[in-house]
Amino acid sequence: MSRNNKPILRMAAEIHKQYLVRSSPASPIEFSRVPYERCLKLVRQLRVAHSRDWHGAAECVRRDLIAALESHQRELQSLSTLLSNMAHKPAVVNMRDIYEELTALHDEFDGVSWHAKQGTLSVATESIRLDDVYLGSFEIQLDCRSLPNAHYEIIALDAQPPSCNESVTHPHVQDNVLCEGDAQVPIQQALSDGRLTDFFQLVAITLSTYNASSAYVTLADWDGVPCVDCGSNASEDYRMSCSRCEEVVCDDCSRSCEDCGDHCCGECLGLCHACENCYCGNCLKRCDHCGTRNCSGCRWEERCKRCHETTEQECKQNRQPEGQRKGEQELEEERNPASVPQVRPASPDTAAAVQSHGVGEAAVPAGLR
Amino acid sequence: MQILFINNNGGGFADYIEIEAGTTVRKLFDARISGNAADHLIRVNRQPVASNYVLQPNDRISMTPVKIEGANS
Ligand SMILES: [Zn+2]
Ligand SMILES: [Zn+2]
Ligand SMILES: [Zn+2]
Ligand SMILES: [Zn+2]
Ligand SMILES: [Zn+2]
């Protein structure tokens, strides 16, 4: 053995120790309740979305639930396969095998590193791009102290998380943990047999394969941002920012103001009290009399039309006391008898209006016009 | 003759199997795995080999698909 191989030999000796001390011939069965609980949670969310008529959210949850159920199903299948495989005799892993595995690992991967202190063996994958989304390269870090159990982390070396979730660095990696899917059984089997190169290869291959139906965040949504109204992940060409609060709102949830045409989120739009159309906060003004919010078409200066009309009438009544109104009428009859209608005006307003208009116009009570 | 056959498809099976003398890598692949050999990493004694390599007694051959689907939970 040449001098160059000494570090690999030391590594092999350390790793081999783990295989010698493994207490039971079979690796412990790992069965997590997390996938099951995730399904339950999604079922609850779906119920809530339906009961509140949140159609967009219901659709998102429905899709997530299908994916979660499929993934759970796969996991159960893997477990059942693993249990069947246990009938095979446990492999005897010898030092020479480990040494050869480590030598092959250096041939297959760049950036193989051994951290004796932490007992970790790592390789770096090539830079990964899936469906035109650049994800960078990943370090696969195997905790050799827990061998033959598969305890390892996937560390993004140039993390490119989606805008909606910082903890996801790959469609199948969250919080540095790979969701192995179809790779679960082969990965556990490889480590159980001491096939370290196969382990790293299986993980690297899983990282370079994309399964859209079962991703934490799909690549189509990688540049997506959650909609402030419905919470769904809106991709770049399916969202806008609210022109008032600047929050992201999806195309389904955004509405435009009937007056200025600005696109807004649900929070920033309101209904005109009078016509019940949608307006942004800028285009709705509070009536300083009754406090309701009204659009420009439904208000008069600082008041809603209703309050405006009521006060207008009150004002006129206050401005023209009874005696004065009578005097004016008699004066007019004297001056221009032809202009005086046969039917007497029903209200003082009508009479005043006639006076202010031109000669020869017959005054008709408001009710007959 | 006997070889160690490692199949990383599905169950991750590794065991000694009997094959006829003169069996090539391609022939073993076609007999044992459905699919395309080009979609697999095939190593004999941990080294890449040509598909017409004739397997020798006690060879260790592994076949690993180049696409394996991960999941999300
Ligand atoms: Zn929305
Ligand atoms: Zn807004
Ligand atoms: Zn507006
Ligand atoms: Zn209005
Ligand atoms: Zn009002």
Side-chain angles (χ1 to χ4, degrees):
Chain A
M1 215 164 277
S2 75
R3 278 176 74 104
N4 293 355
N5 291 338
K6 272 194 176 157
I8 298 183
L9 203 56
R10 271 202 300 275
M11 231 190 272
E14 281 297 312
I15 294 171
H16 185 235
K17 266 194 243 165
Q18 291 301 320
Y19 282 95
L20 289 179
V21 299
R22 72 167 146 187
S23 47
S24 78
S27 50
I29 301 297
E30 303 216 16
F31 187 59
S32 163
R33 61 165 70 204
V34 174
Y36 172 68
E37 279 168 357
R38 178 170 156 77
C39 293
L40 282 185
K41 190 175 151 194
L42 287 167
V43 167
R44 276 197 302 271
Q45 287 178 353
L46 188 60
R47 229 180 271 145
V48 171
H50 277 149
S51 71
R52 298 187 187 171
D53 284 338
W54 293 344
H55 302 298
E59 182 51 23
C60 290
V61 177
R62 188 187 66 84
R63 268 184 273 143
D64 285 355
L65 181 57
I66 292 174
L69 286 170
E70 281 173 355
S71 164
H72 190 31
Q73 220 163 14
R74 240 200 316 259
E75 205 147 307
L76 292 174
Q77 184 55 51
S78 296
L79 185 65
S80 131
T81 312
L82 190 70
L83 290 169
S84 316
N85 282 359
M86 277 186 164
H88 291 287
K89 57 186 180 350
V92 177
V93 180
N94 61 45
M95 168 83 172
R96 186 186 175 80
D97 288 335
I98 301 284
Y99 174 80
E100 284 178 356
E101 284 294 320
L102 291 174
T103 309
L105 195 60
H106 283 83
D107 295 340
E108 299 279 354
F109 288 94
D110 288 330
V112 177
S113 58
W114 166 249
H115 297 278
K117 232 177 179 176
Q118 295 94 328
T120 58
L121 177 63
S122 305
V123 308
T125 68
E126 289 178 342
S127 170
I128 293 173
R129 180 180 284 276
L130 297 174
D131 282 9
D132 267 348
V133 176
Y134 169 78
L135 300 169
S137 65
F138 295 85
E139 180 182 330
I140 306 167
Q141 192 182 80
L142 175 66
D143 175 6
C144 294
R145 289 178 182 163
S146 50
L147 282 169
N149 295 320
H151 287 174
Y152 62 97
E153 290 200 348
I154 307 296
I155 299 154
L157 296 175
D158 178 20
Q160 308 288 326
S163 15
C164 62
N165 192 338
E166 283 282 311
S167 67
V168 171
T169 50
H170 181 282
H172 307 303
V173 176
Q174 185 168 41
D175 295 325
N176 295 350
V177 177
L178 170 68
C179 228
E180 297 159 338
D182 293 345
Q184 189 186 22
V185 174
I187 282 175
Q188 292 191 5
Q189 206 61 47
L191 288 180
S192 163
D193 292 348
R195 290 182 280 115
L196 299 173
T197 307
D198 280 359
F199 160 76
F200 283 107
Q201 232 149 23
L202 286 162
V203 173
I205 285 168
T206 310
L207 287 172
S208 48
T209 310
Y210 173 49
N211 172 12
S213 70
S214 194
Y216 287 115
V217 176
T218 64
L219 293 170
D221 286 342
W222 209 254
D223 68 349
V225 179
C227 163
V228 68
D229 281 354
C230 68
S232 72
N233 213 26
S235 62
E236 199 165 8
D237 41 8
Y238 189 63
R239 66 171 191 243
M240 54 188 69
S241 47
C242 168
S243 51
R244 304 237 332 137
C245 67
E246 292 179 357
E247 292 281 4
V248 169
V249 59
C250 77
D251 283 1
D252 278 349
C253 295
S254 92
R255 297 271 179 282
S256 59
C257 168
E258 295 272 340
D259 191 348
C260 66
D262 280 356
H263 288 273
C264 298
C265 73
E267 264 313 274
C268 296
L269 279 180
L271 293 182
C272 164
H273 183 75
C275 66
E276 297 192 333
N277 287 324
C278 267
Y279 295 92
C280 73
N282 273 346
C283 296
L284 284 176
K285 292 250 158 34
R286 232 171 246 295
C287 165
D288 66 8
H289 192 244
C290 68
T292 58
R293 304 209 310 159
N294 295 274
C295 70
S296 62
C298 296
R299 65 174 192 263
W300 187 268
E301 287 165 358
E302 300 307 312
R303 297 204 166 176
C304 72
K305 273 201 170 158
R306 215 187 144 106
C307 293
H308 170 73
E309 279 163 12
T310 320
T311 39
E312 187 87 330
Q313 279 190 9
E314 281 168 3
C315 282
K316 279 178 183 156
Q317 275 167 3
N318 293 343
R319 251 189 279 128
Q320 302 180 331
E322 189 60 24
Q324 188 194 337
R325 266 179 276 140
K326 210 173 173 188
E328 273 175 9
Q329 202 127 38
E330 281 161 4
L331 196 69
E332 178 63 20
E333 277 169 30
E334 262 179 40
R335 222 170 35 199
N336 190 2
S339 76
V340 179
Q342 295 306 302
V343 185
R344 294 194 62 87
S347 78
D349 288 354
T350 326
V354 172
Q355 276 185 344
S356 65
H357 284 262
V359 182
E361 203 178 78
V364 180
L368 300 179
R369 254 190 255 195
Chain B
M1 66 181 199
Q2 206 182 42
I3 60 163
L4 175 60
F5 175 54
I6 297 154
N7 179 1
N8 281 316
N9 286 273
F13 163 93
D15 217 341
Y16 288 95
I17 58 167
E18 281 294 329
I19 56 165
E20 280 174 28
T23 303
T24 61
V25 166
R26 166 52 64 96
K27 196 175 163 199
L28 182 74
F29 180 89
D30 290 343
R32 296 274 172 164
I33 304 209
S34 59
N36 194 342
D39 294 335
H40 284 74
L41 292 177
I42 299 178
R43 302 284 185 264
V44 173
N45 302 325
R46 301 185 173 88
Q47 296 296 318
V49 283
S51 63
N52 60 359
Y53 170 85
V54 177
L55 291 159
Q56 304 298 308
N58 298 316
D59 270 351
R60 172 197 194 273
I61 182 166
S62 66
M63 298 179 180
T64 308
V66 293
K67 283 196 183 303
I68 307 175
E69 291 192 339
N72 70 350
S73 61

